[in-house]
Amino acid sequence: MSGPLVLAIETSCDETGIALVEGGRRILSNVVASQVALHAPTGGIVPEVAARAHLRWIVPVLDEAWDAAGVAWDDIDAVAVTYGPGLAGSLLVGINFAKALAYVHRKPLVGVNHLEGHVYAAWLLDPGEAEREEPAFPLVALVVSGGHTFLVEMRDHLTYRLLGQTVDDAAGEAFDKVGRLLGLGYPGGPAIMAAAAGATGPVVAFPRAWLGDGYDFSFSGLKTAARRTIAAARAEEGLRPDDPDGRLSDATTAALAHGFQESVVDVLATKTIRAAEATGARSIVMGGGVAANRVLRDRIAGQAAERGLPLVIPRPGLCTDNGAMIGAAGGRRFDAGARMGFELDARPSLPLATPG
Ligand code: KG4
Ligand code: ZN
């Protein structure tokens, strides 16, 4: 393997991730310190708590990633860091750390868009993993995370045409909110997936927002429907509306989780496949935390296979936030000549692509 060796840093949200990635593809090491346990008691992320946790963990995470990769500073071609979108305080911890490393070791600094990282996770190879073909262009990429849900067309590396995006909530946000309504804790996505797997009874139907034939998404109506359905189920089981200690029976929780998940998966899979066909895509890639969902993965894989469309979905640990995906995008950006000055600042609302 050749190509630049990048030290990559990700602190945009609630995972402190540092990785060493070669050629935008081969992971040498990838360490993630998750703050899930820290944010569970509040049922969501408190920005200042997240920023302080990055500050606490960033050096130990670097030490572990560095030791696992067995590299020397002479080998490093660039330091890449997420500079947006994300929580300002969290981003600043990673950016400042990256600047210090780049300055002291005289390395180029490459700023990476977190969303581009989710896309480029599809190019990653684990240590020891056999080589495989890269996703072929033109392709369609679906990014589904806690903060974003969109479809883009890529006709080549690092270029994006926005096909559609959510007009309200992100898919992951809907999972998290409905998880909370079901008393399943934070984050809701993995908890809903686990609960839904236990569903055996009749399917509870939830609405789907198709928004016509385009590629935009909407999940706020689904969330409202879920709130209403969950309230009705609680009344039926004799539970008070907001009693945190009174949880629905496992069977009802499973049925509701299943119905909700089906609605999200159906819309995401259908629109992604439709977009791939309409644009003449030669492959599909997927990324972001919600792409860790097994039902979504299987649904899209089945529909893509039926049409002979190659599909790449990174393993679940590379779908959720991590440093390796920043190393993948950072390596490509470095090759394309991207260099940031030390004035690099956090861009909490940085977009990947604008409509066009
Ligand atoms: O990409 P990510 O780690 O962080 C952001 O950039 O937002 O995505 C986090 C989101 C959360 O909303 C979480 O509930 C969701 O991804 N998620 C899942 C699953 N694992 C994580 N959603 C559905 N099913 C999962 N298995
Ligand atoms: Zn993310």
Side-chain angles (χ1 to χ4, degrees), residues 10 12-13 114-115 118 145-147 288-289 319-321 325:
E10 155 62 37
S12 68
C13 192
H114 179 82
L115 303 171
H118 276 310
S145 72
C319 288
T320 48
D321 292 349
M325 69 188 210

Side-chain angles (χ1 to χ4, degrees), residues 2 12 36 125 170 189 227 230 235 262 322:
S2 57
S12 68
V36 162
L125 296 170
R227 181 176 291 125
I230 291 167
E262 274 302 309
N322 64 85

Side-chain angles (χ1 to χ4, degrees), residues 7-11 15-21 27-34 54 57-69 126-127 315 317-318 320-326:
L7 171 70
I9 300 169
E10 155 62 37
T11 65
E15 321 278 358
T16 312
I18 299 191
L20 285 134
V21 178
I27 298 174
L28 303 190
S29 66
N30 182 34
V31 176
V32 179
S34 172
H54 287 304
W57 289 107
I58 200 158
V59 170
V61 169
L62 172 64
D63 280 341
E64 197 181 326
W66 193 260
D67 291 348
D126 275 313
R315 64 177 167 82
L318 297 176
T320 48
D321 292 349
N322 64 85
M325 69 188 210
I326 302 308

Side-chain angles (χ1 to χ4, degrees), residues 1-4 21-28 123-126 129-132 134 332:
M1 173 84 53
S2 57
V21 178
E22 201 174 13
R25 193 144 160 88
R26 177 68 67 181
I27 298 174
L28 303 190
W123 273 261
L124 288 169
L125 296 170
D126 275 313
E129 183 180 346
E131 274 288 342
R132 58 176 147 73
E134 298 189 18
R332 295 280 170 189

Side-chain angles (χ1 to χ4, degrees), residues 10 12-15 45 85-86 114-115 118 143-148 170-177 186-194 260-261 264 287-297 316 318-322 325:
E10 155 62 37
S12 68
C13 192
D14 61 344
E15 321 278 358
I45 298 163
H114 179 82
L115 303 171
H118 276 310
V143 173
V144 265
S145 72
H148 297 84
E173 206 177 338
F175 269 100
D176 293 336
K177 282 180 185 161
Y186 173 85
I192 286 182
M193 183 175 87
F260 165 79
Q261 181 172 263
V264 177
V290 181
N293 186 284
R294 190 177 324 284
V295 177
L296 176 61
R297 300 166 75 91
L318 297 176
C319 288
T320 48
D321 292 349
N322 64 85
M325 69 188 210

